Amino acid sequence: MRGSIRPCREIALAGLCLALASCAATPLPLASVPVSAEQPAPAAPVPVTLPTVVSVPVLPPEPQPPPRITPDAPFRAQAPAPAAEPTFSPPKFKRFKLKNGVEVILSEVHDLPLVELHLVVKTGGGANPPGSAGLADLTANMMDEGTRTRSALDIAEQIGDLGAILATTASWDASFVSLSTISRNLEAGMAIWADVIVHPAFSDKELARVRDNLVTAVARRKDSPPTVASLALARLIFGERHPYGWPQTGVEESLKKLSAADVKRFYSTYYRPGNATIIAAGDITQNDLKKKLEVALRDWRPGKAPAVKMPPVATIEKKKIVLIDKPGAPQSSIRVGFLGVRRADPDYFPIVLMNQIFGGSFYRLDMNLRERQQWTYGARSAFDMRRTPGPASAGGEFVAAHTADAVAEILKEMRIMATSEVTDEELARAKDNFTKAFPARFATRGSTAALLGELTVYGLPDSFPANYAKNIQAVTKTDVRRVAQKFLLNDRLVIVVVGDRATQEAPLKRLGPIELRDLEGNPVVAHAPTKDGSLPGAKTGGATSGAQGPSD
């Protein structure tokens, strides 16, 4: 059988090959080329029978099964009623003193093995002498740059080995040395923290490095129109002789003049136990903390600091518009400002609610200038409350073409806020913002210590945290309107615009006389634009564009 099958296969394959060769040899007809009479006529095409197409009917989709009824379906049909409003009780705290007279405030929280320790010196940038802007900040920056027995590198390495954080900083009203550590490393970390407080070296070498870094950072301010606007506003509100009139971190001229002797003098005058409070929050008891602090700070001798006397604030008689040229700027930085209030003002709660509704969050300024006008990504207002009255302002960054329009709208919103009552909805929403956010200020050991630090810096009552929500809820619409009339219905304003003078000077003049200043905040001589619209260089001087010279 096998021998008879193989020849059959070979014969079949040979036949198939002959058929394929025959097909390949037969040329296809070319319609575009005429057939020559001498060529043989092409073979007649072989008819091809196409398969019959059978139509298949499209069936309708199968019906979906009904939704499954789960046992809790009736429950889901009705949304549950809201639960009772949660209550919050801030953590309690204790006060005691060390032998050298320094006061200690302790908030014991034992849920995690963490401790936060803050030294709060109740003097900051407000004590900078005339011509020494940045001294308090430079002193704080130098505190952890070496002691009598530890170099700056030693401090950084030893703190890093403990997994701790050591930080030094200053504000307008206080200076801080803080330590954050796990409980078991508190004693070792406290030894370094105390060494920094009691034995800072203030070496000339480290001072030169830190000062150079600060000067470099200060030089970059001119590249930021929002920063230029805010600093110019403070200088115009407070004047040349007031510490608040200059940047807290200083200016190039003042920083370059500050020496190690200046830093040592500031430290020895104000970093005294009688002018300081230690805030502790976390996993430690009062007895244990007191023992450790007495040992760590045994070399810090008792002493008090002199009171800081602030010079008078510059007088603003009427509305003043200041234009700072930023050629070709596609947007303008606008600040409308005035003298605000101190942190311990009795109207603190009505003021913070009034400001919240006006522009402290996404309220009236944003609804007008961002949502309706679409001139900005965001407009805000703020009261910077310090030991003495700080600046208050409203503004933002606006598309250049509507600079003067934006100023006019901000002034309009101020008048509306001062001459009409807020709505019940606005006031309720603002109260919710503050009362429901307040518990977050105790979320960490660091934030707890920071809030307790406010009590000692500004002389607030110990009941402040516990009564916070009650005091917020007690504010009425009449209270809000009263403080709005006091501060917002005010023509003693300073309006600062940092933008393209060539395009913005004429529209701003319609709002009032303009004073010109440079990026450093210094007055400049006014020059009219040339025929091609460009501006010639401006020299430092006292002339203005349609206004009197600066009053400060």
Side-chain angles (χ1 to χ4, degrees), residues 56-57 85 163 170 206 272 282 318 322 454 470:
V56 179
E85 190 75 20
E206 296 296 343
R272 310 298 295 275
K318 58 181 180 180
V322 173
E454 288 185 28
K470 182 176 70 175

Side-chain angles (χ1 to χ4, degrees), residues 455-519:
L455 305 186
T456 186
V457 172
Y458 299 112
L460 304 179
D462 286 359
S463 60
F464 175 81
N467 293 338
Y468 182 89
K470 182 176 70 175
N471 288 331
I472 285 287
Q473 294 298 337
V475 176
T476 66
K477 293 192 293 184
T478 302
D479 294 328
V480 171
R481 184 174 180 180
R482 173 175 54 79
V483 295
Q485 288 176 338
K486 182 177 179 180
F487 294 103
L488 302 186
L489 202 62
N490 177 11
D491 197 43
R492 296 180 179 179
L493 301 171
V494 176
I495 301 167
V496 176
V497 176
V498 181
D500 180 31
R501 180 190 166 197
T503 57
Q504 302 309 320
E505 184 172 13
L508 286 170
K509 277 185 177 180
R510 301 189 194 109
L511 301 176
I514 294 177
E515 176 183 318
L516 301 175
R517 296 210 171 199
D518 63 18
L519 294 172

Side-chain angles (χ1 to χ4, degrees), residues 119-160:
L119 172 74
V120 181
V121 176
K122 291 179 273 191
T123 306
N128 289 336
S132 298
L135 177 56
D137 196 70
L138 179 61
T139 303
N141 274 296
M142 286 297 300
M143 292 292 291
D144 61 349
E145 296 295 341
T147 68
R148 296 175 190 170
T149 57
R150 292 179 172 91
S151 67
L153 186 59
D154 291 336
I155 294 171
E157 288 181 344
Q158 291 173 21
I159 286 292

Side-chain angles (χ1 to χ4, degrees), residues 101-409:
V102 67
E103 186 179 35
V104 182
I105 300 176
L106 169 64
S107 175
E108 290 189 37
V109 186
H110 298 286
D111 57 341
L112 293 172
L114 301 172
V115 179
E116 192 83 13
L117 205 58
H118 290 190
L119 172 74
V120 181
V121 176
K122 291 179 273 191
T123 306
N128 289 336
S132 298
L135 177 56
D137 196 70
L138 179 61
T139 303
N141 274 296
M142 286 297 300
M143 292 292 291
D144 61 349
E145 296 295 341
T147 68
R148 296 175 190 170
T149 57
R150 292 179 172 91
S151 67
L153 186 59
D154 291 336
I155 294 171
E157 288 181 344
Q158 291 173 21
I159 286 292
D161 290 343
L162 295 173
I165 299 173
L166 179 70
T168 61
T169 187
S171 68
W172 282 112
D173 298 316
S175 302
F176 307 90
V177 182
S178 63
L179 174 71
S180 180
T181 181
I182 57 176
S183 303
R184 69 171 181 266
N185 291 341
L186 175 60
E187 192 165 357
M190 187 186 291
I192 304 169
W193 172 81
D195 192 27
V196 164
I197 294 169
V198 182
H199 305 123
F202 301 130
S203 73
D204 290 326
K205 178 183 175 182
E206 296 296 343
L207 177 66
R209 178 180 57 81
V210 172
R211 184 176 52 204
D212 287 347
N213 289 339
L214 291 173
V215 169
T216 301
V218 164
R220 292 197 293 264
R221 288 178 185 150
K222 291 182 286 187
D223 298 329
S224 171
T227 302
V228 171
S230 297
L231 294 180
L233 179 68
R235 191 166 171 184
L236 289 157
I237 290 175
F238 294 100
E240 306 281 343
R241 293 176 295 277
H242 197 287
Y244 293 173
W246 297 95
Q248 181 190 322
T249 52
V251 294
E252 289 184 59
E253 183 181 0
S254 65
L255 288 172
K256 289 177 179 178
K257 292 191 305 183
L258 294 176
S259 66
D262 296 319
V263 171
K264 291 176 182 178
R265 189 180 305 111
F266 189 94
Y267 166 81
S268 62
T269 302
Y270 297 111
Y271 281 67
R272 310 298 295 275
N275 190 42
T277 301
I278 294 171
I279 312 293
D283 184 28
I284 190 168
T285 63
Q286 177 175 336
N287 289 338
D288 192 21
L289 177 64
K290 187 171 183 178
K291 290 177 183 177
K292 286 180 167 59
L293 286 174
E294 292 285 11
V295 173
L297 298 173
R298 60 186 178 276
D299 294 336
W300 201 21
R301 302 303 179 195
K304 295 182 179 180
V308 176
K309 295 181 180 179
M310 290 285 196
V313 176
T315 302
I316 302 172
E317 299 294 343
K318 58 181 180 180
K319 182 173 66 179
K320 177 189 293 188
I321 303 175
V322 173
L323 176 59
I324 298 174
D325 190 20
K326 190 74 172 174
Q331 66 179 22
S332 299
S333 294
I334 298 173
R335 302 291 184 271
V336 179
F338 49 90
L339 185 65
V341 296
R342 61 192 178 96
R343 174 60 182 80
D345 192 284
D347 277 328
Y348 171 79
F349 290 100
I351 290 169
V352 296
L353 286 171
M354 179 272 291
N355 178 71
Q356 181 79 349
I357 296 169
F358 176 53
S361 185
F362 207 100
Y363 283 78
R364 293 189 176 189
L365 285 180
D366 258 335
M367 293 304 296
N368 182 352
L369 296 163
R370 173 185 165 123
E371 296 301 298
R372 286 194 292 272
Q373 309 294 353
Q374 300 181 6
W375 296 338
T376 179
Y377 282 113
R380 288 290 185 269
S381 64
F383 278 74
D384 186 358
M385 300 181 186
R386 303 171 185 169
R387 186 175 285 122
T388 59
S393 65
E397 322 313 312
F398 297 85
V399 61
H402 292 286
T403 299
D405 299 329
V407 172
E409 287 297 314

